[in-house]
């Protein structure tokens, strides 16, 4: 009987913690390395909440993945004995012919997902805090909701350790090379690590590690804002769905109901290009002012005192689709990164997919749109 391959996972954030858990549950000898101690606020997976939604405007190709993710989130909640996902419904608001509404409708229709189409008057009747301009349309989907990112990562790592995975925190991987016998040697700040396969889930540090993978990655600074609304009840999770708003052609902001820390809003993209090493963490008063202008225009009751503002990092590919698959130069190295600002909801299914790719080179999902080599 051949021994199971030893797998090293570089980066234990959203995708890496899930991959480590999937491997450990299959009895695979796995070691997870992280330069910090996740969950932490230095990468892409902090900020108290993440949207999960199903009528995926970016492409129907994500729908089978997100469906599986829903099953796995539920299983993780059961295994951990703690809630991770609060269902609120989700509303995609914008012009009928805009990328958001058109894309969400196309995903819902082609994939047979339940949804309602609301005109501007109906949006305002059901959700009076949303001042949707005349001509706006809303795609309302029932299963969308809010995930708790820090709790999910903490739980995945705890369950992975319980299933036998080795966790190495404050261990920065600086590179890897082949060694005799077909194994790989990882150089880390705490000494070398040997493995048969490597999964790279380094989030916004991926550009450092994937320089030879032929994928032009950009790290984008994003700011998450919390405001104290005029009255809390209409902004509560019982009343308000998560939402994305296409307020200009291809320009988006989104928000999540107040779960105790304030009403959270942020722009989707429109951020400056940075590096994970120098992300400009301080949020300027002018940035808060710009966000308030959007709120005054579309959700005026949310324009209360700002209660918090925190930066976070997107890792973008040119087409804003993920990188999922073997490294173009070495099939022993599997890439699971560059989620372009929309990857958290998929974390557990990414874990499953990455474990499959590392162990068999295959996945039950069609990963063609996510091939790391697609940029030539
Ligand atoms: C503001 C903001 C809002 C978002 N909102 C949503 C949303 O609502 N819904 C959604 O689905 N997605 C959302 N996303 C995107 C989602 O959060 C990310 O796609 C996802 O968290 C990325 O996970 P990751 O595992 O790739 O990166 P991370 O979770 O950042 O993990 C990378 C890990 O790798 C470690 N690491 C890096 N380099 C090394 C190294 N050399 N050696 C060892 N360890 C290393 C880091 O320390 C880190 O822990 C949002 C992102 C941001 C920034």
């Amino acid at each position: 009987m051949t021994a199971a391959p030893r797998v090293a996972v570089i980066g234990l954030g959203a995708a890496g913690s899930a991959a480590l858990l999937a491997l450990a549950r299959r009895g695979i000898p796995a070691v997870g390395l992280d330069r910090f101690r996740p969950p932490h606020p230095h990468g892409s997976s902090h900020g108290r909440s993440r949207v999960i939604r199903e009528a995926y405007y970016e492409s129907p190709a994500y729908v089978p993945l997100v469906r599986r993710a829903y099953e796995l989130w539920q299983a993780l909640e059961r295994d951990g004995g703690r809630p991770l996902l609060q269902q609120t419904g989700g509303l995609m608001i914008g012009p009928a012919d805009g990328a958001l509404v058109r894309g969400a409708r196309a995903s819902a229709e082609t994939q047979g997902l339940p949804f309602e189409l609301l005109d501007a008057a109906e949006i305002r009747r059901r959700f009076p805090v949303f001042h949707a301009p005349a001509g706006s349309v809303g795609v309302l989907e029932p299963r969308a909701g809010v995930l708790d990112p820090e709790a999910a990562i903490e739980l995945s790592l705890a369950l992975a350790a319980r299933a036998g995975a080795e966790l190495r925190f404050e261990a920065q991987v600086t590179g890897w090379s082949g060694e005799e016998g077909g194994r790989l040697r990882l150089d880390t700040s705490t000494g070398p690590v040997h493995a048969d396969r490597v999964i790279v889930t380094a989030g916004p540090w991926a550009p450092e590690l994937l320089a030879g993978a032929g994928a032009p990655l950009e790290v984008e600074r994003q700011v998450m804002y919390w405001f104290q609304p005029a009255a809390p009840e209409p902004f509560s999770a019982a009343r308000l769905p998560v939402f994305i708003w296409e307020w200009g052609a291809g320009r988006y902001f989104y928000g999540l109901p107040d779960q105790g820390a304030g009403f959270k809003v942020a722009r989707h993209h429109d951020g400056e290009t940075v590096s994970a090493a120098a992300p400009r963490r301080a949020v300027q008063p002018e940035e808060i002012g710009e966000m308030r202008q959007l709120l005054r225009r579309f959700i005026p009751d949310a324009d209360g005192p700002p209660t918090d503002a925190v930066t976070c990092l997107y890792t973008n590919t040119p087409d804003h689709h993920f990188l999922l698959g073997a490294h173009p130069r070495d099939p022993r190295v599997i890439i699971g990164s560059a989620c372009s600002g929309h990857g958290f909801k998929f974390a557990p299914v990414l874990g499953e997919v990455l474990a499959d790719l590392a162990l068999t080179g295959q996945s039950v999902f069609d990963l063609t749109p996510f091939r790391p080599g697609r940029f030539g």
Side-chain angles (χ1 to χ4, degrees):
M1 207 171 87
T2 47
R6 177 172 155 87
V7 184
V9 180
I10 307 176
L12 300 176
S17 61
L20 195 69
L21 176 57
L23 291 163
R25 287 225 163 124
R26 295 178 199 189
I28 301 299
V31 53
L33 302 118
D34 201 284
R35 64 197 301 155
F36 298 110
R37 187 171 282 276
H40 61 71
H42 310 297
S44 304
S45 300
H46 56 284
R48 306 179 184 123
S49 53
R50 288 291 184 271
V51 172
I52 183 166
R53 57 195 159 84
E54 204 171 15
Y56 222 69
Y57 79 92
E58 292 88 339
S59 163
Y62 290 93
V63 176
L65 286 162
V66 81
R67 281 182 152 158
R68 178 67 182 145
Y70 270 100
E71 292 171 6
L72 294 170
W73 283 120
Q74 276 176 1
L76 196 57
E77 287 182 318
R78 275 195 306 273
D79 295 343
R82 63 195 285 187
L84 297 171
L85 196 171
Q86 184 172 18
Q87 198 170 318
T88 59
L91 187 60
M92 310 299 127
I93 309 172
D97 59 352
L100 178 65
V101 165
R102 236 182 335 103
R105 269 189 84 170
S107 265
E109 283 165 1
T110 58
Q111 302 288 322
L113 302 174
F115 74 100
E116 286 178 79
L117 210 53
L118 314 181
D119 64 18
E122 187 61 11
I123 293 172
R124 293 182 72 144
R125 195 185 67 75
R126 293 214 207 168
F127 310 107
V129 300
F130 290 148
H131 287 210
S136 306
V137 173
V139 177
L140 182 64
E141 56 164 286
R143 288 219 299 163
V146 184
L147 290 161
D148 181 336
E150 285 91 349
I153 292 173
E154 187 178 79
L155 178 59
S156 299
L157 291 177
L159 292 174
R162 204 184 298 165
E166 183 188 342
L167 302 185
R168 291 203 196 175
F169 294 142
E170 281 143 21
Q172 181 186 348
V173 178
T174 51
W176 61 82
S177 51
E179 56 182 14
E180 267 179 44
R183 295 196 106 194
L184 291 153
R185 173 197 152 112
L186 275 60
D187 297 315
T188 88
S189 55
T190 58
V193 169
H194 305 272
D196 301 292
R197 305 272 190 282
V198 170
I199 295 176
V200 184
T201 42
W205 290 268
E208 284 174 17
L209 291 173
L210 298 177
L217 301 181
E218 272 192 5
V219 176
E220 183 182 5
R221 176 181 177 273
Q222 295 285 305
V223 184
M224 302 174 272
Y225 304 87
W226 285 262
F227 292 90
Q228 191 185 320
E233 212 272 326
F235 288 89
S236 67
R239 290 282 302 279
L240 204 72
V242 296
F243 69 91
I244 305 180
W245 203 312
E246 186 174 6
W247 63 277
R251 304 193 72 189
Y252 309 95
F253 77 103
Y254 63 91
L256 302 95
D258 186 351
Q259 294 178 301
F263 174 59
K264 179 178 170 183
V265 280
R267 289 166 188 274
H268 184 43
H269 296 297
D270 286 344
E272 73 191 62
T273 301
V274 293
S275 79
R280 193 168 77 80
R281 291 281 174 208
V283 178
Q284 300 306 318
E286 306 81 69
E287 296 180 277
I288 298 175
E290 284 171 19
M291 193 71 231
R292 295 187 85 151
Q293 277 178 20
L294 274 179
L295 291 180
R296 273 183 215 131
R297 197 165 146 199
F298 297 111
I299 318 177
D301 287 354
D303 180 29
T307 55
D308 205 358
V310 174
T311 59
C312 186
L313 300 171
Y314 283 2
T315 310
N316 298 325
T317 57
D319 60 11
H320 288 180
H321 295 306
F322 301 170
L323 292 186
L324 264 185
H327 193 295
R329 291 200 183 159
D330 190 337
R332 295 169 299 177
V333 178
I334 305 300
I335 301 173
S337 233
C339 295
S340 304
H342 59 110
F344 193 87
K345 63 186 76 62
F346 299 96
V349 70
L350 292 181
E352 204 172 64
V353 165
L354 292 168
D356 284 342
L357 290 174
L359 299 174
T360 69
Q362 291 180 338
S363 168
V364 293
F365 295 98
D366 178 9
L367 303 180
T368 315
F370 314 121
R371 269 183 317 110
R374 69 185 180 276
F375 301 105

